[in-house]
Amino acid sequence: MAGMMCAAVLGDLVDSRRTKDRAALHARFREAIERANAELQPRTPLRITVGDEYQGAFDTVGQALHAALWLRLQLLPLGDLRHGIGWGEARVLEEEPRVEDGPAWWAARAAIETAESESRRAATRAVRTRYERAPGSDGPDAGAVNAALLCRDQLLAQGDERALRLLRGLLAGRTQVELAEDEGISPSAVSQRVRNDGLAVIVAADEMLREVA
């Protein structure tokens, strides 16, 4: 039976067993998944599957790339998420509970395994997100997308807690003046952090990546 083309997403918590308060981390994880379903409108709702893994699907690769960043920011710095995104055909095997299969999911599994492997290397230890295109599909080029993701992951890894708060605010559309009031610092100080920590670059990259079909 023919399926539909989609961007399948597989995610898992990174080193969750080393977290001091796993209950708090899992609660935030579940809350983030619920908020993502309400705000990001995935094609197949995101759901926690086994242990610290989750899955879902979006209509476009760009939507999936944005969701991966959005979800990471909901957990950091308490915990972090690794993602594999695969573009291709997906077939529904069962509706209740929903079970999907197909090249999109196989590509997503290959992508998350690659992300995990790359994170073990010193030069690429910040890698948390990888994208793969299923063989024979006409989705976005994996090389170009992964080059952007490599840079995004590296910039995000360098941010402290304030940088993460500012980035969450910027992605939510808040102004630097509003963020300065929240942080109790001057707008000039916020502007400096936005430039020096690469936050403006992450926001601009997210806007461009969201347009990827």
Side-chain angles (χ1 to χ4, degrees), residues 148-162:
L149 292 175
L150 186 67
C151 296
R152 186 175 83 177
D153 284 348
Q154 184 64 40
L155 284 172
L156 194 58
Q158 295 172 357
D160 59 15
E161 291 191 32
R162 172 166 283 173

Side-chain angles (χ1 to χ4, degrees), residues 39-157:
E39 298 182 26
L40 304 184
Q41 300 180 331
R43 197 202 77 175
T44 301
L46 309 179
R47 65 185 180 89
I48 298 174
T49 54
V50 179
D52 295 334
E53 294 189 358
Y54 86 92
Q55 65 182 44
F58 291 83
D59 290 322
T60 70
V61 172
Q63 291 172 348
L65 297 174
H66 172 68
L69 174 62
W70 189 93
L71 280 161
R72 287 189 67 195
L73 287 172
Q74 304 312 302
L75 268 68
L76 287 168
L78 179 63
D80 199 0
L81 284 168
R82 175 170 37 240
H83 289 96
I85 297 167
W87 175 260
E89 183 185 70
R91 297 180 293 272
V92 178
L93 302 181
E94 186 177 338
E95 284 290 355
E96 292 295 337
R98 191 177 181 90
V99 178
E100 294 188 10
D101 192 12
W105 293 103
W106 306 334
R109 177 59 64 186
I112 198 170
E113 289 174 353
T114 299
E116 183 176 10
S117 176
E118 290 184 345
S119 70
R120 295 196 188 106
R121 298 171 53 207
T124 54
R125 62 174 178 255
V127 168
R128 292 292 181 271
T129 317
R130 284 282 301 200
Y131 159 73
E132 296 293 339
R133 182 174 62 186
S137 68
D138 58 355
D141 177 69
V145 171
N146 284 320
L149 292 175
L150 186 67
C151 296
R152 186 175 83 177
D153 284 348
Q154 184 64 40
L155 284 172
L156 194 58

